[in-house]
Amino acid sequence: MSNARAEPQILSWKVGGMDCPSCAATIRGAVERLPGVSDVKVSVMSELLTLSLDEARTGREAVEKRVAGLGYTTAPIASKAVSAKPEPTACGCGHDHSHAGHDHGDHEHGDHGHHDHAAGGHDHSHDHAPVKASAAAAAKADHGHGLPGHVHEATPDGVSWYQTNKGRLVLVTGALLAAAWSASLLWPAASYWAFVAACLIGVAPVARRAFAAARAGMPFTIEMLMTIAAAGALVIGAAEEAALVVFLFAVGEVLEGVAADRARASIRALGDLVPKTALVEENGQTRQVDAAALMIGQTVLVRPGDRIPADGEITSGVSGIDESPVTGESVPKTKGVGEPVFAGSVNSEAALRIRVTKAAEDNTIARIIRLVEEAQEARAPTERFIDRFSRVYMPAIVGLALLVALAPPLFFGGEWSVWIYRALALLLIGCPCALVISVPAAIAASLSAGARQGLLMKGGVVIEAAAKTGVAAFDKTGTLTEGRPRVTEIVALGRPEREVVELAAAVETGSSHPLALAILDRARTQAVPVRPADDGSAIAGQGVVGTLGGVAIFVGAPRHAVARARFDDAANAAVERLESSGKTVAAVIADGALAGLIALRDEPREDAAAGIAELKALGVRSLMLTGDNARTGAAIAGSLGMEHQAELMPDGKVTAIKSLAATTPVMMIGDGINDAPALAAASIGVAMGSGTDVALETADGAVLKSRVRDVAAMIRLARATMGNIRVNIAIALGLKAVFLVTSVLGYTGLWVAILADTGATVIVTANALRLLRFDAGRAG
């Protein structure tokens, strides 16, 4: 027999019955005490238990038995579902770097596109180091979850609350309670035993779970408090109140389960956007397959009106794609061959053939869902404090209840039954469930609402940091601006405007340089015919030349063009005016004479000015950090009404961020790839981008619609969430304080105590769920 010990395996189970952090804490605490079990992770949002198990010491059946003993159901999940999170991919932008002959002006194209085209003034550094995931780090920093609490049962899809075990228990105990009250009218002698029966039947499953948790090393659970209170009430003859307390406790659990399921429903709805089947095309034939089984490299046919079943690349066809399920952007985008598409998007116009580029578990919507689920583990500092507080609070409440039960009868001649009754009421009102759930319920609702609006924040720690933001630092290219140059102005000098465009477009045809593409785009916009120039070539460091209809053409920077044509005062003044406003200028020379000037600039996004104004209204200072030259930086920042720092290398951006962070929390907004060091240095790093791998996997948050206004929306959502949490904590502690006093003084009894506890829990949960309807995009 071999003595070799098997390597621990990563195993995963779907757990039924979780709907609050206390459930996760109960399972985690019970399972991690088993020998050979380590790295236990429990996600309430995804109802998932993942752990590392040495089966030579403990079998997986023992894990399932331990969880089942706590009142939960388990279903093993195939090991592929527990795959490690994919590494951030390196930049694969595929831009053409070769157009060396272009030199349209002093800016050397540094501000345009995402690569340094022989330019010193480029705004990005191409440092691809992954961004520090501060949320993940915070999650790892504190593994201790709070008080073991209620065992809840989530309502499965299509199953009503009364069809669940908890629902049936409520109906049975309610019926027994009604029967006992009826018996008290018709047969008073038997009514006491009817109430006893209702209490015992209702408390039995609660007691079973309480003792299972105690055997697992967790005696201070809410189930144990409930069991002690019910048993104590029966001992002192308060059977009617004991039965009522058990019934109200069960009702509270059902209400909490329904409320928690509503929070999960918004995430489930995202998953439902991806179609269940797909049409795979092979050898000219199509066949229907399960969308989850699609493999990378397969070609799928997507008909007009159908949802796209996988992330992929169009290989045939042109159509309008509605990407609102992924990005929230309502206007369809026209896409053609070679362009990427996302699973769950709607093909609105024509048939498309799409090559699958990502497996089902790695498509954009699946990653968004996974990130939101994982974000539940990145708990807010407030939540971690409450968890630590609760671990001390529970034993303190039990000790106080014992003091109330024993001290007055022993030392002051009090009546035993009266003070035991008050101590039992104190136990019930002392249950910290409302306090424990006050933070995670709000965080879960906020994450769900944000995901639906294209705002991703990785957990409570990120939400709390975003709410405190005092400075929003923006990268320029691709963040505040569109990331590609556009022709902003044409100055006709020796020839008409259309002819200037035609001549420039002729020599730029076939080039993939950003400035060339901008000129060709302007020609298309003005319906100028584009004919390729003859003998076209690039002159390194100067520009491009060619001939069209016998006319010799040169397009390049004015400083190189002056050697080929005369610039009069008007031409020189025009060049100075355009360059002083941060624009790149291309001079067009035809047959040795200046035909005209073309001004290009990477323009701010349409919503950039409005986004900066909204941040200012929120009291957040805006700052642009750019590697571009000072003149361009000043022009863009001035048009948006914000501060700026220009000509910064990547380490310069980090220095600027650290300097700002010394006095106030800083949010850095960048493209998620080139600004990695600055994103990592900030209090919270937010990536702009429609679901790119790097944007989703590395930053603390992401703005999927690539809108500047959504930065203000993210801060508004974060502040609303923290305000909601403060209200929840006030409700939970306020009600506790009032009823603790009234219970000790004897003004309120057992049923009022449990009603107050359940009521507080339902109130804070309902208040948190209001965030699901929060419109983060609405200013004011």
Side-chain angles (χ1 to χ4, degrees), residues 314 316-321 334-337 339 347 349-353:
I314 298 173
S316 171
V318 176
S319 181
I321 307 295
T334 299
K335 293 195 174 187
V337 175
E339 294 190 87
N347 175 23
E349 293 170 7
L352 295 173
R353 285 175 176 79

Side-chain angles (χ1 to χ4, degrees), residues 328-355:
E329 196 59 62
S330 57
V331 180
K333 292 181 180 177
T334 299
K335 293 195 174 187
V337 175
E339 294 190 87
V341 290
F342 302 123
S345 303
V346 179
N347 175 23
S348 58
E349 293 170 7
L352 295 173
R353 285 175 176 79
I354 297 167
R355 181 173 59 82

Side-chain angles (χ1 to χ4, degrees), residues 46 58 180 195 233 252-253 360 415 479 663 678 758:
S46 56
T58 298
F195 284 120
E253 286 198 308
E415 191 176 337
T479 302
T663 56
T758 300

Side-chain angles (χ1 to χ4, degrees), residues 219-286:
F220 294 109
T221 62
I222 292 165
E223 284 83 6
M224 186 62 79
L225 291 189
M226 187 66 230
T227 302
I228 293 170
L234 290 178
V235 168
I236 62 174
E240 181 176 355
E241 288 196 75
L244 181 59
V245 162
V246 170
F247 171 70
L248 291 173
F249 180 79
V251 169
E253 286 198 308
V254 169
L255 289 175
E256 289 168 24
V258 171
D261 197 59
R262 275 194 60 196
R264 270 196 205 105
S266 60
I267 296 300
R268 283 201 301 264
L270 259 182
D272 292 341
L273 292 171
V274 180
K276 300 295 183 282
T277 60
L279 288 175
V280 172
E281 195 172 74
E282 293 172 339
N283 303 319
Q285 302 290 318
T286 59

Side-chain angles (χ1 to χ4, degrees), residues 371-537:
L371 287 169
V372 173
E373 290 171 347
E374 289 172 356
Q376 304 302 302
E377 301 304 310
R379 299 175 305 140
T382 304
E383 183 180 352
R384 293 200 297 272
F385 170 76
I386 287 174
D387 283 350
R388 289 193 296 271
F389 171 73
S390 296
R391 288 198 293 271
V392 177
Y393 172 84
M394 273 292 280
I397 284 293
V398 173
L400 182 60
L402 280 173
L403 191 64
V404 168
L406 299 175
L410 287 177
F411 302 110
F412 304 105
E415 191 176 337
W416 280 101
S417 60
V418 169
W419 287 101
I420 289 174
Y421 180 89
R422 292 181 183 181
L424 295 175
L426 181 65
L427 272 183
L428 292 180
I429 194 59
C431 165
C433 194
L435 183 63
V436 170
I437 204 172
S438 60
V439 178
I443 296 293
S446 177
L447 292 169
S448 300
R452 284 203 317 275
Q453 296 174 58
L455 309 172
L456 283 185
M457 290 182 282
K458 294 186 179 179
V461 65
V462 175
I463 290 174
E464 201 156 320
K468 295 175 182 175
T469 298
V471 175
F474 290 86
D475 166 47
K476 182 176 73 65
T477 304
T479 302
L480 285 171
T481 67
E482 295 175 350
R484 54 186 177 82
R486 287 191 296 142
V487 174
T488 60
E489 187 176 346
I490 296 170
V491 180
L493 295 169
R495 298 195 180 219
E497 181 178 316
R498 285 178 63 84
E499 195 171 333
V500 172
V501 174
E502 183 180 9
L503 293 171
V507 292
E508 301 288 14
T509 300
S511 170
S512 59
H513 191 283
L515 297 182
L517 295 175
I519 291 171
L520 291 167
D521 186 57
R522 180 58 175 255
R524 281 192 295 273
T525 302
Q526 292 189 219
V528 173
V530 177
R531 295 175 290 159
D534 297 322
D535 305 321
S537 64

